Amino acid sequence: MSELASDNATGPAFVRSPVKITDVAIAAGVAPMTVSRVINTPDRVSPETTAKVRAAIDRLGYVPNLIAGGLSSRKSRLVAAIVPTIAHPMFAGLVQAFSDSMRQAGYQVILSISGYENNDDESLFRALLGRRPDALLITGSGYSPGALEMLIEAHIPVVEIWDVSSRPIDMLIGFDHAQVGAEVATFLRTKGHNRFAMLAAQDSRALARARGFRDAVTRMGGELVLEQVMPAPSTIGAGREGMRALMPFLNEPCAVFCSSDMLAFGAVTEARVQGVPVPEHLAICGFGNLELSELNEPPITTVSLEGVGTGRTAAAFLLRRLAGEGRRDEDRVQVPFRIVERATT
Amino acid sequence: MSELASDNATGPAFVRSPVKITDVAIAAGVAPMTVSRVINTPDRVSPETTAKVRAAIDRLGYVPNLIAGGLSSRKSRLVAAIVPTIAHPMFAGLVQAFSDSMRQAGYQVILSISGYENNDDESLFRALLGRRPDALLITGSGYSPGALEMLIEAHIPVVEIWDVSSRPIDMLIGFDHAQVGAEVATFLRTKGHNRFAMLAAQDSRALARARGFRDAVTRMGGELVLEQVMPAPSTIGAGREGMRALMPFLNEPCAVFCSSDMLAFGAVTEARVQGVPVPEHLAICGFGNLELSELNEPPITTVSLEGVGTGRTAAAFLLRRLAGEGRRDEDRVQVPFRIVERATT
DNA sequence: CTGAAAGCGCTAACAC
DNA sequence: GTGTTAGCGCTTTCAG
């Protein structure tokens, strides 16, 4: 920790981390190229040379400059990921699983948290694509044509997650949010409900679920007594508030679909406070299957989605393509979702 | 979903995006350096030239290669961040605030989710430092000496968050976890409690809080009836389980400190299920001040911490140093924490 | 199995 | 205000 004090003292006390591949090469008595091979393709170097070079690397504390390597090889070993938030456990799990998988394959993830409105998406994409990532994961739809054009021009594998609606750029892992809403409506109908309500966050996917729910309710001849939209991202507080807005309509039994488990938890809690019997008088269904829903008392009925599985699949898709394989039809998959029935319906 | 079948099926399907600074320069009739200046220091270029160059950039869809720029300028405009998890809302908020602040200043964040055991931290650091980040944010202690040595050798600003215990490398934003435990013990004591219990996750900081709690309880002459350690990261399920483990000791009133709000929520819920009166017979205090605690019924007493504020402060510290300013004593700050008293104590 | 030469795309430093 | 020259630290390519 102190032998470095005897640095090549070429002037003022300024120590640029100086160890580069040529330093290692000199120390090991080989060519720089050989050092490079020891690091990247060890099987093409003789054991003795490898040993010498390794020793020099350790001795000097050499950390290869991946920027220089990336420029030269035109491979950055970087993947960019864009998600609207990581505050939501679903996305947190997805990002975590995705970056674990990518890291195991030797890639690093640059994460961009875009928020729910993608204004200025072009400058975000420019900043990301400027790093020349080898691949890209993006969440859902709603990007400007110019931004999408940039993605296409980048000529790298792209996987879109979370939404199957719009025309996909390349690979896709998602589901039809309207269909989720419709299936929840059907489910609640079979439980004997006729009066329905919706609590939805102000975000395009949540609103798609709301639309699917509304349409199905209408189709089934049910009554939608309230459709309450609240600011994204969903919070427990919004759920409690939404529940209070619903109170005036609870003269008769009702079933409410919340666009996220956060909202549902808030609604269940507020119902308990207000003394509304759940599920007898009010049925509540959430979306996302957070631990919170499973382990609350009462446990909350919800739609289960597997954020972690999506992250892993997204990584697998990209890695396949990074390994040189071509496009195929199976690269557009529907994430299965299912309604998990618990005590609130 | 099928119109994409008519893709550019050009054999090897390999089209390198070719637009580089020289292409733009030729198109605009200027030198490459002028294009570079238009992008990086626009005020040093005449308005007419700027207009010409901008037009060429837009027309060609030029996206500057930051890898090449970084190699040349020795500035990557990248900062690396290491956190144990983003599944915990505290870290999620911290990361989000940190990357927002950094992005506004023109930096991008490479996020590494390290998990709670930092084995193989050297290879993690090597992968990160290989990108030559301009600065680094790391969480807490427990890294190997070799890994820390690498950080120091990198000669970049480093901010450590979340833990003030060990010898800091450079800047620091955190608090003394043992002190938190001690203050919670004191607080519960003033509420009239004599019998205490601790539910802690198996992670070094949570255990430090537990130790502080235990020591303070002993010092005050109280009785610690149970100290239950569960696997990290904390979950609601673990809280419910911990509560069940505590049941046999509830022949008399008791006060329990949970190392996270997740555990506390689980404990409160399980207590409700088991019919234990809270706070009359059992007082519960959490840690983290999640929305969950505030808006649960009953609202949960907890320790409030400001993950978001920490992220912002960390960014501000790094940006100050990146702007060329030197070290100062104020770069070691204690994050204030406070006990938020609610209905469970 | 190892090395030498050339260059990845950009910017620092210095001309003009 | 703009252009020229010379690299940044690595890997590709080709030669031995």
Side-chain angles (χ1 to χ4, degrees):
Chain A
M1 200 168 286
S2 60
E3 72 262 45
L4 266 199
S6 65
D7 242 16
N8 50 350
T10 33
F14 213 84
V15 197
R16 276 227 64 76
S17 169
V19 184
K20 46 191 150 193
I21 201 169
T22 50
D23 300 326
V24 177
I26 292 168
V30 298
M33 195 52 229
T34 301
V35 177
S36 172
R37 278 196 271 257
V38 168
I39 292 165
N40 300 307
T41 52
D43 31 309
R44 292 186 186 170
V45 184
S46 77
E48 306 84 63
T49 314
T50 301
K52 273 194 307 191
V53 171
R54 284 246 100 88
I57 288 176
D58 288 347
R59 184 149 36 84
L60 299 179
Y62 173 56
V63 178
N65 184 331
L66 300 177
I67 293 209
L71 178 60
S72 185
S73 67
R74 287 119 161 279
K75 287 179 170 45
S76 63
R77 299 241 118 201
L78 228 42
V79 302
I82 303 176
V83 294
T85 178
I86 55 169
H88 191 300
M90 143 91 44
F91 283 109
L94 188 148
V95 166
Q96 189 138 356
F98 179 74
S99 37
D100 281 356
S101 298
M102 292 313 284
R103 178 156 47 250
Q104 263 169 28
Y107 289 85
Q108 273 161 274
V109 175
I110 297 204
L111 183 67
S112 274
I113 302 160
S114 64
Y116 277 96
E117 297 110 45
N118 21 24
N119 39 44
D120 211 16
D121 48 3
E122 293 201 29
S123 76
L124 170 63
F125 283 12
R126 193 184 320 279
L128 251 25
L129 293 176
R131 304 275 171 207
R132 297 294 187 267
D134 294 335
L136 207 54
L137 173 142
I138 69 177
T139 305
S141 46
Y143 296 104
S144 69
L148 293 177
E149 176 68 16
M150 290 173 66
L151 292 194
I152 293 163
E153 283 309 310
H155 298 292
I156 55 176
V158 175
V159 61
E160 286 170 277
I161 56 164
W162 195 232
D163 194 338
V164 297
S165 49
S166 60
R167 182 181 68 77
I169 299 172
D170 183 0
M171 295 178 283
L172 189 65
I173 307 172
F175 52 90
D176 185 327
H177 289 253
Q179 190 190 338
V180 170
E183 293 203 12
V184 170
T186 307
F187 165 75
L188 292 171
R189 186 75 183 82
T190 62
K191 302 288 290 183
H193 291 278
N194 250 324
R195 300 176 77 242
F196 301 90
M198 177 85 216
L199 258 49
Q202 176 68 278
D203 114 67
S204 64
R205 265 81 64 173
L207 294 175
R209 299 195 285 279
R211 179 165 39 73
F213 185 73
R214 186 199 321 123
D215 292 352
V217 163
T218 310
R219 210 162 41 240
M220 298 180 316
E223 183 190 1
L224 191 69
V225 299
L226 178 69
E227 186 167 350
Q228 179 90 2
V229 175
M230 22 250 323
S234 307
T235 60
I236 298 169
R240 295 191 65 160
E241 200 180 300
M243 186 65 233
R244 287 193 292 271
L246 188 57
M247 291 301 293
F249 301 93
L250 293 185
N251 47 329
E252 292 176 52
C254 184
V256 57
F257 176 34
C258 300
S259 76
S260 95
D261 279 3
M262 295 289 196
L263 294 175
F265 175 79
V268 168
T269 302
E270 185 67 22
R272 176 152 55 85
V273 171
Q274 304 273 354
V276 178
V278 171
E280 294 75 20
H281 197 81
L282 176 67
I284 299 176
C285 177
F287 174 86
N289 195 20
L290 309 185
E291 192 200 13
L292 185 55
S293 307
E294 182 183 351
L295 293 175
N296 185 50
E297 191 56 43
I300 301 170
T301 295
T302 190
V303 179
S304 170
L305 285 160
E306 270 303 298
V308 169
T310 303
R312 254 199 296 266
T313 308
F317 276 17
L318 291 179
L319 289 170
R320 239 188 45 86
R321 288 279 282 282
L322 288 169
E325 303 186 38
R327 295 193 180 193
R328 22 160 234 189
D329 288 347
E330 306 91 278
D331 288 344
R332 313 262 163 90
V333 301
Q334 298 265 354
V335 172
F337 61 87
R338 63 175 214 287
I339 296 171
V340 182
E341 188 172 359
R342 302 208 180 99
T344 60
T345 53
Chain B
M1 198 162 286
S2 59
E3 73 263 49
L4 262 200
S6 68
D7 240 14
N8 51 353
T10 32
F14 215 83
V15 193
R16 273 228 70 74
S17 165
V19 184
K20 48 192 147 188
I21 201 167
T22 51
D23 300 325
V24 177
I26 292 168
V30 298
M33 194 56 224
T34 302
V35 178
S36 172
R37 278 195 271 253
V38 167
I39 292 165
N40 300 307
T41 54
D43 32 308
R44 290 184 188 171
V45 184
S46 78
E48 306 84 64
T49 314
T50 302
K52 273 193 308 191
V53 172
R54 284 247 100 88
I57 288 176
D58 288 347
R59 183 150 34 84
L60 299 179
Y62 173 57
V63 178
N65 184 331
L66 300 176
I67 292 207
L71 178 59
S72 182
S73 68
R74 288 125 163 280
K75 285 178 172 42
S76 63
R77 298 242 120 203
L78 228 40
V79 302
I82 303 176
V83 295
T85 177
I86 55 170
H88 191 300
M90 144 91 42
F91 283 109
L94 188 148
V95 167
Q96 189 139 356
F98 180 73
S99 41
D100 281 355
S101 298
M102 292 311 284
R103 176 154 54 247
Q104 260 166 33
Y107 289 85
Q108 273 161 272
V109 175
I110 297 204
L111 183 66
S112 273
I113 303 160
S114 64
Y116 278 95
E117 296 111 45
N118 21 23
N119 38 44
D120 210 16
D121 48 3
E122 292 202 29
S123 76
L124 170 63
F125 283 13
R126 192 184 320 279
L128 251 24
L129 294 175
R131 304 274 171 207
R132 297 297 186 266
D134 293 335
L136 206 55
L137 173 142
I138 69 177
T139 305
S141 45
Y143 296 105
S144 69
L148 294 177
E149 176 69 15
M150 290 174 66
L151 292 193
I152 293 163
E153 284 308 313
H155 297 294
I156 55 177
V158 175
V159 61
E160 287 169 277
I161 56 164
W162 194 233
D163 194 338
V164 297
S165 48
S166 59
R167 183 184 65 78
I169 299 173
D170 183 358
M171 294 179 283
L172 190 63
I173 306 172
F175 51 89
D176 185 325
H177 290 253
Q179 190 190 337
V180 170
E183 293 203 11
V184 169
T186 308
F187 164 76
L188 293 171
R189 188 73 183 81
T190 63
K191 303 288 291 182
H193 290 277
N194 250 323
R195 300 177 76 240
F196 301 91
M198 177 85 214
L199 258 49
Q202 177 70 279
D203 113 69
S204 65
R205 267 81 65 173
L207 294 175
R209 299 195 284 280
R211 178 166 38 74
F213 185 75
R214 185 199 321 123
D215 291 352
V217 163
T218 311
R219 212 162 41 239
M220 298 180 317
E223 182 191 1
L224 190 68
V225 299
L226 177 69
E227 187 168 351
Q228 180 87 2
V229 175
M230 25 249 323
S234 307
T235 61
I236 299 170
R240 295 192 65 161
E241 199 180 302
M243 185 66 232
R244 286 193 291 272
L246 188 57
M247 290 302 292
F249 301 93
L250 293 185
N251 48 329
E252 292 176 52
C254 184
V256 58
F257 176 33
C258 301
S259 76
S260 96
D261 279 3
M262 295 289 197
L263 294 175
F265 174 80
V268 169
T269 302
E270 185 68 22
R272 177 153 55 83
V273 171
Q274 304 272 355
V276 179
V278 172
E280 294 75 19
H281 197 82
L282 175 67
I284 299 177
C285 177
F287 175 86
N289 195 20
L290 309 186
E291 193 200 13
L292 185 56
S293 307
E294 183 183 352
L295 293 175
N296 185 48
E297 192 54 45
I300 301 170
T301 295
T302 188
V303 179
S304 169
L305 285 160
E306 270 303 299
V308 169
T310 303
R312 255 200 295 268
T313 308
F317 276 17
L318 291 179
L319 289 171
R320 239 185 47 85
R321 287 281 282 282
L322 288 169
E325 304 186 37
R327 296 195 180 193
R328 26 163 228 186
D329 287 347
E330 307 91 279
D331 289 345
R332 312 266 162 88
V333 302
Q334 297 265 353
V335 172
F337 61 88
R338 63 176 212 287
I339 297 172
V340 182
E341 185 171 1
R342 301 209 181 98
T344 59
T345 52

